[in-house]
Amino acid sequence: MLDGHHSETMSYPNSDSRIVCDMLSMCFDGFSANSTLYGRVSNTLDKHIFKKVSSLYRRLAERLLYGVGALPEDTGTMNPEPGYIAIAYLSALNAPEKYASSRVMSVNWQVIKRVGKLVRLLDDKLFANTIIDYLVCIQVLLDNVRHRRKAAKLMEGKYRA
């Protein structure tokens, strides 16, 4: 009898669970979108990048899931940010092929920024530092891609001139 009452009043095992579930949602969406784009692009470099970003999101999602233990029951109180991210990824994937890669990369940056903001709210600082390590790996990869693309555009402009 007490067990049933306890589960009704305490949906989340600790204060970090709700935040972790929001981050988990964004990481699953990032994994899915980058995996989908990996299957669609033909450029070898883009294939490598989207596969790597997808893998990093998957590993971060696994770590988050491990950290939260069991998923709390849905109370309908999730932060709206994960929903915005899901819509942004879907919109990016539905863009014409010419723009899909850059749009998904843009959403990847939004995820890094939003998860970075959420990780600061966690009470468990050791767990937060683990998440930050994953975010840094994704950010370094995205930075390298950004620099490579800028360099490629500069080289393309030189050859045209």
Side-chain angles (χ1 to χ4, degrees):
M1 186 163 130
L2 288 176
D3 289 340
H5 178 70
H6 177 70
S7 66
E8 288 175 19
T9 59
M10 186 140 186
S11 305
Y12 295 93
N14 66 47
S15 62
D16 288 347
S17 293
R18 194 178 307 191
I19 297 166
V20 172
C21 286
D22 287 346
M23 290 189 283
L24 187 59
S25 176
M26 288 187 267
C27 289
F28 277 138
D29 289 337
F31 164 73
S32 178
N34 284 277
S35 293
T36 299
L37 202 52
Y38 162 77
R40 286 180 24 194
V41 296
S42 58
N43 178 308
T44 305
L45 179 60
D46 281 350
K47 276 192 151 328
H48 172 74
I49 290 164
F50 290 113
K51 182 177 183 179
K52 183 70 175 171
V53 172
S54 173
S55 173
L56 289 169
Y57 275 129
R58 180 186 52 80
R59 288 179 21 212
L60 176 53
E62 288 170 351
R63 184 65 186 113
L64 290 166
L65 198 54
Y66 176 77
V68 77
L71 286 177
E73 72 180 60
D74 183 14
T75 62
T77 60
M78 188 169 93
N79 183 340
E81 282 184 310
Y84 298 144
I85 291 298
I87 291 168
Y89 272 128
L90 286 173
S91 176
L93 289 172
N94 287 329
E97 290 301 315
K98 180 179 178 181
Y99 303 110
S101 293
S102 62
R103 289 188 179 172
V104 166
M105 291 303 274
S106 176
V107 179
N108 286 332
W109 278 108
Q110 290 177 41
V111 170
I112 294 301
K113 190 181 295 183
R114 289 174 186 222
V115 171
K117 194 169 65 174
L118 289 173
V119 80
R120 290 185 207 107
L121 302 174
L122 294 174
D123 290 332
D124 184 344
K125 297 306 177 194
L126 185 60
F127 185 52
N129 285 336
T130 301
I131 296 168
I132 289 169
D133 289 344
Y134 283 97
L135 289 178
V136 167
C137 289
I138 297 170
Q139 185 172 355
V140 166
L141 179 62
L142 296 178
D143 276 337
N144 287 338
V145 170
R146 181 188 289 168
H147 292 353
R148 284 183 189 170
R149 288 188 173 169
K150 282 183 181 178
K153 284 184 180 184
L154 287 174
M155 293 303 289
E156 184 179 301
K158 286 182 181 180
Y159 288 121
R160 286 186 181 176

